[in-house]
Amino acid sequence: MQHQASGWSTAVQATLHCLTGCAIGEVLGMVIGTALGWGNVATTVLAIILAFFFGYSLTLRGVLKAGMGFRAALRVALAADTLSIAVMELIDNGVIALWPDAMDAELVDLLFWASLAISLAIAFVVTVPVNKWMIGRGKGHAVVHQHHAH
């Protein structure tokens, strides 16, 4: 069981979980910031904050469902997801920042959605080995799996 817990399959599942929260937060932040006419920096900061919020929330939901108290569940979510979300956000936002014209794309532009999708895909590929490394050391989502209801 220990060997399986540190495998690539578990790392991919953990990263998909992280990607889901990050994508929800990123898209929501970009849509809100763009709709309100905010600049790139304010919109990006909102997107990152929401990515962390939704990333942590998804983990928190699962751990609370398993019967853990809120404070303990929050500690598990913070410990499990911080590095994964941080790496994903760094790569995702870095790709968009370096992509020509992506920062100025509007919600109706194909470039907006294509650059966001591709940047999240690249972030996923980079984050999987990070999660595998953490899980192999009993950190990250290895901690979450100890607390999930079976």
Side-chain angles (χ1 to χ4, degrees):
M1 181 69 178
Q2 181 64 26
H3 178 67
Q4 180 188 10
S6 63
W8 285 105
S9 175
T10 303
V12 166
Q13 288 178 328
T15 308
L16 283 172
H17 182 267
C18 178
L19 178 69
T20 302
C22 288
I24 292 168
E26 284 282 329
V27 171
L28 191 58
M30 296 293 183
V31 168
I32 291 169
T34 302
L36 295 176
W38 290 3
N40 289 338
V41 173
T43 299
T44 301
V45 168
L46 177 62
I48 292 169
I49 290 168
L50 290 176
F52 273 91
F53 174 78
F54 283 101
Y56 289 140
S57 294
L58 291 176
T59 297
L60 195 57
R61 184 177 143 256
V63 177
L64 286 171
K65 195 173 170 183
M68 184 176 282
F70 182 79
R71 290 183 130 187
L74 182 60
R75 283 194 294 272
V76 167
L78 292 172
D81 290 338
T82 299
L83 182 60
S84 181
I85 296 170
V87 169
M88 189 157 288
E89 286 302 296
L90 178 68
I91 300 301
D92 168 47
N93 286 288
V95 168
I96 290 175
L98 295 172
W99 191 310
D101 301 320
M103 291 295 287
D104 297 320
E106 298 291 326
L107 296 176
V108 295
D109 297 335
L110 177 60
L111 178 60
F112 176 91
W113 297 102
S115 63
L116 182 60
I118 291 169
S119 68
L120 285 168
I122 293 168
F124 174 82
V125 169
V126 172
T127 306
V128 169
V130 172
N131 280 325
K132 184 179 185 307
W133 178 79
M134 289 175 41
I135 291 165
R137 281 150 188 77
K139 308 283 186 208
H141 271 259
V143 176
V144 173
H145 289 287
Q146 294 170 6
H147 301 289
H148 271 213
H150 291 89

